Amino acid sequence: MGNNVKSYLEMREITKTYRTYDHAVVVALKGANLRVRKGTVHAVLGENGAGKTTLMEILAGVLKKDSGTIYFKGQKLEVENASQAFAQGIGMVHQRLSLIEDFTVAENIVLGIEPTNRLGIINLEQIEKKVSKFFQESGFALEASGIVNTLSIGQRQKVEIMRALYRGADLLILDEPTSALTEQEVQDLFRLINVFKKQGKTIIFITHKIEEVLDIADELTVLRKGRTIGEGQIKDFSKKEIIQMIMGEPISLRIERIPLRKGKILLSVRDLSVSSNGNLERVKNISFDLKEGEITAIAGVSGNGQKELVEAIFGLRLPATGKILVNSKDITNLLPRGRREMGISYIPEDRMNLGSSLKSSLMENVIVDKYYKPPFSERGWRQIDLCKKYAEKLVSNYNIKIPDVDCCVGTLSGGNIQRVIIARELTTDFTILIAQEPTMGLDLGSIKYVYNLLLEMRNEGKTILLLTSDMDEIINLSDRILVMYRGEIVANLDNNLKPITKEEIGEYMLGIKRQNHIELLG
Amino acid sequence: MIIPLIDSVIYTMLAATTPVVLAALGVMFTNFSGMFNIALEGMMLVSAFFSVFVVDITSNLWLGMIAGIGAATILGLSIFFICHYFHAEIFIVGMGANLIATGLTTFMAVQLKGSSSLIFENVPKLRRIAIPIIENIPILRGLSGHYVIDYLAIAISVICYILVFYTPYGYHLRTIGKDEWVAKTLGISITKHQFISYLWCGFLCGLGGAVLSLPVGVFLGGPVGMANGRGWLAIAVLCLGQENPLNILAAALFIGATSALSDLLQVTTSLSPRLLMALPFAAALIAIVFYMAKEHKTSLGIKI
């Protein structure tokens, strides 16, 4: 075909290898192809570590390809950095949002292309006016002078989308845009995507969620292990076929959950009130118990205090009033390490900052909660060989894709980092697990795997507190569902008595219904 | 009696501030770019040596200043290249640069004149510049009669403030300082900014070194040396001033004030002069402890 390319965007035989600090080689792309037609929503699908993000970051100029060619708008495309990609009309919204938190929205929007006067001086007011006007024209309601760290994740993402458009993007790449959003925010995003499509823009959409693909995409490309293994129109594939292409084998998320007899109380929360950073009361006088062999889900629209609640239970946040008891012992004043020793394990939502140390090796990451205890340390000496063997065991048990346990975790894909965290938190002596978005950003195979693990832990008599924005996950996994609304528990639902429906939970989540005191006791 | 004393304290304070604020602004740029340079002491020392040495040869103060800046910049860029191309650890290389600076200047001084400390008697020296009117007002008098570099240092602080907060360059620099990932996704070159920050650091430390030796026509080598810990004080000043050049100026003035106080007490009291010379360092340490305690105590709301 040569230069005579029909597609709007065509990426051919792209290869990319990473070199880690210790010179191990990770092959991310082994000749991937992508063809995108103008004015379509194109889904890029694949397992964790299939190379989707790498392929898109090459297109957006953030990474350099080893070999292969890219044609865009009929021309060969060579970009050295993200700035040049923007200049060509390619804008990417990364999975890890790239905004400076203490800059204003307007400052973030113009970052990299700041307009100045003749003396080279920036006039912030003028920029804010310009950005406000741009927001109005695109029908986007947000204060241009607001500081980014006061915004929700959904709003921040919109700021990033607006930034790409402000810089003239015709091709918008969204890397797992829905993984951190609430149901409502996802619907907003989809509406926005449809508007862009009507304007003639092209959208590439990376996701794990098949429903979303069927909802919004026109075409799809599936990557597996760095290669393109399928492409075409969405309407030509059934859901089952798509899943099969991604996984290589059929898979179902349905799991068998047999109700257990209720055991003794492991964790009690009594009259707990917690304030946010801005001193707003986020959790109001909450009490509940977690029993052996039970998965308890906390449902709620994000921002209703769930985050503050679990942070208080794990000791990342000091409660204003109230008590937290483990086996009837008061742990309210213990630090996180003390709480871990009381048998609490924690999978945090923010895997990059709270969950792992990206600059440390996998081995260091998996022993960070226990390096000081025997057998990892004996008489004050660390047992490096033993730690290494332990890490290698976790790598094979949890199927983590890493060349060597000394590789730093920052080189792994998002899904693999999640596996590292899950491996660490589950391979320890715990009785209580707090799991916050445990399957966020994982592919179907991994999700199924995590579900089975959680269920196994529950059947062993441990208690699990599950915090997730995925309603199916709540309904599938949990024995009991607590719904939070404006800092209070408004419903205590037993999922074993009769299966709870999404609609039922939704009514409580939105504050339409509320249980009375007796019902709340369960 | 008391008024001339205040005059002289203000004068000493401003004079002591200059080298510290210049070096602190230099390290501020490298801190933004993510390659924190600790070799300020060494860069000031080579500048102090080469500036007075070139003045001795050429009898031209401007050439001397340029030579000092050049020497500091060369040392700074060597640190940058070693770290960038060979992936060396920046603190180790910076430490090495400090040691090399001491060794090199002392060695050259001994080779030239047979002594680690050089006194050039016939070289032109920087002249004090009096500001009309102000030089006759009591108390304000201390602001007048400084060297050109002292006045430049104040102007440079203001220029740096504008640069950091009101120009695209400053935005890009702060972006890199806050989150390199963001810079990368927006196509802001990190390497380019690191290189430029080392040019800045060389220029500013060069000026800071020249202001030590050029007014007196003297170079002091040896293990203590002419920089005499000012490069380390500059790092303390950066800790206090953070990313704002005007705060850095204020913090440097605070250190300058403790130096002036130390000088005053050495003359007026019988306290050990050696002990009093440690006053600015002790003050810097205490200030940082209080500052850190105030800023970071309750980041997670738990008292430890």
Side-chain angles (χ1 to χ4, degrees), chain A residues 208-442:
Chain A
H208 287 306
K209 300 177 186 162
I210 308 294
E211 279 77 12
E212 289 178 355
V213 177
L214 298 173
D215 250 18
I216 193 98
D218 306 307
E219 301 188 343
L220 81 154
T221 296
V222 179
L223 296 184
R224 199 195 303 157
K225 291 179 180 158
R227 285 201 181 86
T228 303
I229 57 146
E231 55 180 356
Q233 305 262 327
I234 294 283
K235 59 177 185 332
D236 298 341
F237 296 100
S238 71
K239 186 173 166 181
K240 214 171 159 189
E241 282 170 326
I242 297 173
I243 293 171
Q244 218 158 349
M245 268 203 291
I246 296 170
M247 299 304 304
E249 61 190 81
I251 195 153
S252 142
L253 276 183
R254 202 153 284 287
I255 49 165
E256 283 295 311
R257 184 169 47 80
I258 306 143
L260 294 177
R261 269 184 52 212
K262 280 183 186 163
K264 68 177 173 74
I265 293 174
L266 287 176
L267 181 123
S268 313
V269 170
R270 287 282 166 272
D271 306 322
L272 192 75
S273 293
V274 188
S275 299
S276 70
N277 293 339
N279 253 340
L280 280 166
E281 194 174 54
R282 273 311 184 42
V283 175
K284 294 170 189 158
N285 219 11
I286 278 188
S287 301
F288 60 87
D289 296 319
L290 300 183
K291 295 189 185 108
E292 275 180 341
E294 183 181 61
I295 296 180
T296 309
I298 295 190
V301 178
S302 83
N304 276 289
Q306 308 95 306
K307 189 166 156 275
E308 285 78 8
L309 173 66
V310 291
E311 284 178 359
I313 295 176
F314 191 65
L316 298 174
R317 200 178 274 279
L318 204 63
T321 59
K323 268 186 188 161
I324 301 157
L325 309 164
V326 171
N327 290 329
S328 336
K329 279 193 210 89
D330 189 352
I331 61 156
T332 317
N333 289 317
L334 288 182
L335 289 172
R337 182 186 278 189
R339 298 187 194 215
R340 278 186 181 280
E341 289 182 348
M342 296 294 294
I344 302 185
S345 208
Y346 178 45
I347 300 170
E349 181 182 1
D350 182 353
R351 61 172 83 131
M352 306 285 186
N353 294 310
L354 264 185
S356 61
S357 162
L358 296 183
K359 285 184 181 164
S360 306
S361 72
L362 178 135
M363 191 259 274
E364 287 164 330
N365 266 290
V366 295
I367 61 161
V368 69
D369 59 329
K370 40 189 156 304
Y371 68 91
Y372 58 93
K373 288 192 284 207
F376 302 99
S377 288
E378 298 280 2
R379 295 179 294 279
W381 292 94
R382 285 185 53 202
Q383 307 296 311
I384 306 285
D385 285 347
L386 189 134
C387 294
K388 235 180 179 162
K389 282 212 188 79
Y390 174 77
E392 276 158 8
K393 203 177 86 199
L394 293 198
V395 166
S396 74
N397 283 359
Y398 287 82
N399 199 9
I400 301 164
K401 287 178 190 123
I402 190 163
D404 193 309
V405 294
D406 289 325
C407 280
C408 78
V409 165
T411 59
L412 299 183
S413 70
N416 263 317
I417 294 177
Q418 185 72 1
R419 282 169 184 252
V420 173
I421 298 165
I422 289 173
R424 175 184 68 220
E425 298 300 331
L426 296 191
T427 318
T428 180
D429 243 351
F430 71 97
T431 50
I432 301 155
L433 172 70
I434 305 169
Q436 212 173 348
E437 304 289 353
T439 58
M440 188 172 84
L442 294 184

